[in-house]
Amino acid sequence: MTQDPTPSTQPISLAIIGGGIAGLTLAAGLHLNSISKSDPRNKKFVFTLYEARPYFTEIGAGIGLGPNAQRAMHLLHPDILAAYKSCETRDQLSVEERARFFCFRVGVDDLGAGKGEGKGKAGDLIADVRSGGESSVVHRAKFLGELSRLVPVEMTRCGKRCVDVEVLEGSGVEDREGGVLVKFADGTEARHDAVVGCDGVRSVIRRAVLGEGDEAVEPVFSGKCCYRGIVGMEKARVILGEEMAMESQMYLGKGGHVLTTPMNQGQAVNVVAYHTKEDGKWEDETWIKSVTKQEMVARFAGFSQTVRDLIGVIEKPDLWAMFDHPPAKTYHQQGQLCLLGDSAHASTPHHGAAAGMAVEDALVLSKLLGSVECKEQLRGAFAAYDAARRPRSQRLVTSSRRTGRVYDFEDEVVGDDMLALREYLEHAWDWIWYADMDKHLEEAMLVCDSLKESSQPQVSAPKGLDRDLCFSAGAQEPLRLIGSVG
Ligand SMILES: Cc1cc2nc3c(=O)[nH]c(=O)nc-3n(C[C@H](O)[C@H](O)[C@H](O)COP(=O)(O)OP(=O)(O)OC[C@H]3O[C@@H](n4cnc5c(N)ncnc54)[C@H](O)[C@@H]3O)c2cc1C
């Protein structure tokens, strides 16, 4: 395959589909960096962010981002981190207190016949897990609002649901043939040089990248569900006690766990109560459904009085089914389509790190795109992004599932052994929080540079780059670079 010798002089036109955390962070990163680094009259990219909803918002309450994600936001642009910080709940706490992730506690009256330290009683501390850096919670809708302020309104289109994309024939160099046709539910279409799918777990772009019939296209039910609610701080204080209500707690029990996190600058507590669905199946088309309070309370009958009291004050409960993605074989196609955030690697929420992965994705992709000089180099940028991001983000999906089982005493190795639980919990986030984002980025750039130089579809590890280093930010197994670059 040869590269076209006359690269286009027109800016590369990018469609970002989906304005959640992934899409907005990418858009903000591209916009802020092009303002600060390049002459606006000589832009390499123009992008349009298409969001299905009428405005940028999201149901759901708190969302936590760890030190890795906060570092990624800073590296992407300090204004992005500042937007996050402006919504932080725990800004009144000391740095040490802000480093606390969760206090994991026994959530049942009797921990049963566990081995090792075995028998804990209700409320006993299993592990006080702290991140080395900051770990905090923001109100999701508020954070999305702040992020959207960083993206010029003329670059966004709300109320535009993408229903399909068509990769067009042609070089697209001189006459702008080729590229991708984006089709919307309202019957309109838009042509762009490339499309980045940030359209979440039920992604249209994922289907296009992987191909109809690929078994990894559809998300799968993880076997876990949760009830979510917000409890006023006064009520939470009465049930949990002053100190416990102001800190994030997780109460573990057989077949379920309940977590509490303070939110809205300490005026309320976000409560999420997980349980395992015995038959492991979810047959409803919708993933969120209203349930009666009695049904919810009955689920936690085996838990301690504190947990039952907490569950008892959630009004109008909704039940959320937790889905995740089977591993995708690639995150990109032909320099024209690319997946980012949940559309690439939707995970269960048990590590509380999936949005953080989306932020990391946005950092890596936007920096790689920043190095692209012409449309012909998009393929190399997307391939480098895939090589850098796929191992780490897919590890999250697997690890998060296991962590959910650990919380619910269902893990074959850990079980309900207090000692083994503590050991697991104290180290389960090491690879997520302590990944070296600067190095990760550097490695992705090296891969990209080598791919830009290469016109071969078969690529080997770039010269001078230790293959294992490529994936040092958390991969379990190095990705084989030998193969199609997409
Ligand atoms: C209960 C729960 C708790 C969680 N807690 C945490 C946590 O504490 N920390 C953490 O890091 N992660 C957490 N997560 C995971 C986190 O919510 C996701 O990883 C994150 O929201 C992914 O962001 P995204 O932008 O990729 O996708 P989404 O947030 O799903 O955003 C996708 C966007 O695309 C839009 N869209 C969808 N389809 C189309 C289309 N066809 N055309 C146009 N627009 C479209 C949607 O309207 C939406 O705005 C949690 C998840 C759940 C379910």
Side-chain angles (χ1 to χ4, degrees):
M1 190 172 297
T2 54
Q3 284 195 344
D4 197 295
T6 52
S8 167
T9 50
Q10 294 189 37
I12 302 166
S13 135
L14 209 61
I16 300 172
I17 309 293
I21 289 174
L24 280 171
T25 308
L26 177 68
L30 288 174
H31 175 65
L32 292 169
N33 286 303
S34 83
I35 285 175
S36 58
K37 284 195 184 142
S38 57
D39 179 345
R41 288 163 302 177
N42 190 24
K43 268 189 192 163
K44 283 184 288 187
F45 281 95
V46 286
F47 70 83
T48 309
L49 189 159
Y50 298 99
E51 164 56 43
R53 295 194 175 116
Y55 41 84
F56 297 108
T57 189
E58 169 68 272
I59 44 171
I63 190 151
L65 295 184
N68 57 309
Q70 297 196 29
R71 177 75 186 144
M73 284 190 272
H74 174 76
L75 288 174
L76 194 45
H77 197 281
D79 287 359
I80 297 176
L81 183 60
Y84 176 81
K85 293 281 175 197
S86 73
C87 317
E88 253 183 1
T89 292
R90 305 202 288 169
D91 54 358
Q92 72 277 23
L93 300 179
S94 68
V95 171
E96 201 196 322
E97 288 166 318
R98 285 155 68 117
R100 171 169 283 145
F101 179 55
F102 272 103
C103 284
F104 292 89
R105 296 183 181 278
V106 177
V108 287
D109 287 328
D110 175 9
L111 199 50
K115 298 169 287 179
E117 289 183 16
K119 297 180 193 288
K121 61 180 191 313
D124 278 1
L125 185 69
I126 301 171
D128 178 357
V129 176
R130 291 161 188 262
S131 62
E134 292 196 7
S135 178
S136 54
V137 178
V138 294
H139 191 278
R140 194 190 281 257
K142 213 167 154 196
F143 179 43
L144 285 177
E146 289 302 318
L147 277 178
S148 69
R149 267 190 252 281
L150 299 177
V151 183
V153 71
E154 63 273 17
M155 292 161 130
T156 65
R157 304 271 186 281
C158 286
K160 298 292 280 185
R161 177 170 292 282
C162 167
V163 288
D164 198 8
V165 286
E166 186 185 338
V167 174
L168 301 169
E169 297 291 323
S171 69
V173 173
E174 285 299 332
D175 51 9
R176 303 190 65 78
E177 277 176 359
V180 186
L181 195 62
V182 185
K183 302 174 182 182
F184 297 99
D186 60 9
T188 58
E189 296 177 344
R191 186 202 295 243
H192 291 272
D193 293 319
V195 169
V196 184
C198 302
D199 49 341
V201 60
R202 285 172 145 168
S203 167
V204 172
I205 312 304
R206 181 181 179 88
R207 182 175 303 280
V209 169
L210 297 182
E212 197 70 52
D214 186 295
E215 59 187 20
V217 168
E218 295 295 341
V220 291
F221 180 52
S222 68
K224 303 277 181 201
C225 299
C226 71
Y227 304 93
R228 300 172 81 176
I230 295 173
V231 175
M233 186 49 87
E234 282 315 307
K235 272 188 190 167
R237 276 202 185 105
V238 172
I239 297 167
L240 299 172
E242 175 77 27
E243 203 184 317
M244 305 261 258
M246 287 303 292
E247 294 287 356
S248 296
Q249 312 287 334
M250 201 183 297
Y251 299 90
L252 310 187
K254 182 81 192 152
H257 62 279
V258 178
L259 59 92
T260 64
T261 40
M263 57 180 293
N264 289 358
Q265 270 71 34
Q267 286 170 31
V269 171
N270 182 34
V271 181
V272 191
Y274 289 88
H275 74 88
T276 305
K277 194 158 179 292
E278 294 79 12
D279 64 2
K281 291 184 192 150
W282 187 269
E283 273 148 7
D284 288 301
E285 179 57 22
T286 166
W287 295 355
I288 307 173
K289 62 178 186 182
S290 295
V291 292
T292 62
K293 192 162 170 173
Q294 291 89 319
E295 182 186 326
M296 173 180 68
V297 168
R299 286 271 173 208
F300 295 88
F303 278 69
S304 65
Q305 189 62 49
T306 304
V307 172
R308 283 184 281 135
D309 287 349
L310 197 60
I311 301 287
V313 293
I314 299 178
E315 301 297 338
K316 296 190 192 144
D318 285 331
L319 181 66
W320 294 53
M322 299 291 122
F323 281 70
D324 62 12
H325 277 146
K329 60 182 185 257
T330 180
Y331 287 175
H332 72 114
Q333 192 197 95
Q334 304 291 346
Q336 286 163 312
L337 302 175
C338 190
L339 300 173
L340 198 144
D342 273 15
S343 71
H345 44 72
S347 158
T348 51
H350 308 304
H351 264 308
M357 281 290 154
V359 171
E360 289 184 15
D361 287 351
L363 166 69
V364 172
L365 187 61
S366 78
K367 295 287 178 183
L368 290 170
L369 290 177
S371 77
V372 162
E373 295 298 335
C374 59
K375 200 162 58 176
E376 294 65 31
Q377 291 178 349
L378 278 178
R379 175 188 286 242
F382 287 171
Y385 163 81
D386 177 63
R389 296 300 302 155
R390 192 147 50 89
R392 177 166 164 81
S393 52
Q394 293 194 351
R395 181 177 178 185
L396 181 74
V397 182
T398 317
S399 180
S400 178
R401 271 214 185 203
R402 178 173 184 210
T403 300
R405 288 197 301 276
V406 168
Y407 291 162
D408 300 346
F409 304 160
E410 292 162 346
D411 183 76
E412 283 173 10
V413 178
V414 177
D416 62 357
D417 180 345
M418 284 273 276
L419 207 57
L421 278 165
R422 177 174 307 143
E423 176 67 16
Y424 180 90
L425 294 169
E426 282 180 350
H427 297 289
W429 284 267
D430 291 356
W431 70 273
I432 299 172
W433 289 339
Y434 309 132
D436 184 338
M437 280 299 117
D438 304 69
K439 194 169 160 198
H440 188 45
L441 201 51
E442 214 176 283
E443 291 163 354
M445 294 300 285
L446 274 172
V447 177
C448 186
D449 287 346
S450 103
L451 291 174
K452 273 193 277 181
E453 284 163 20
S454 162
S455 57
Q456 302 302 315
Q458 298 285 314
V459 285
S460 52
K463 273 186 206 143
L465 181 64
D466 178 338
R467 176 178 292 264
D468 288 343
L469 267 183
C470 271
F471 314 109
S472 61
Q476 273 169 323
E477 293 171 16
L479 182 74
R480 284 190 71 233
L481 276 179
I482 306 297
S484 167
V485 290

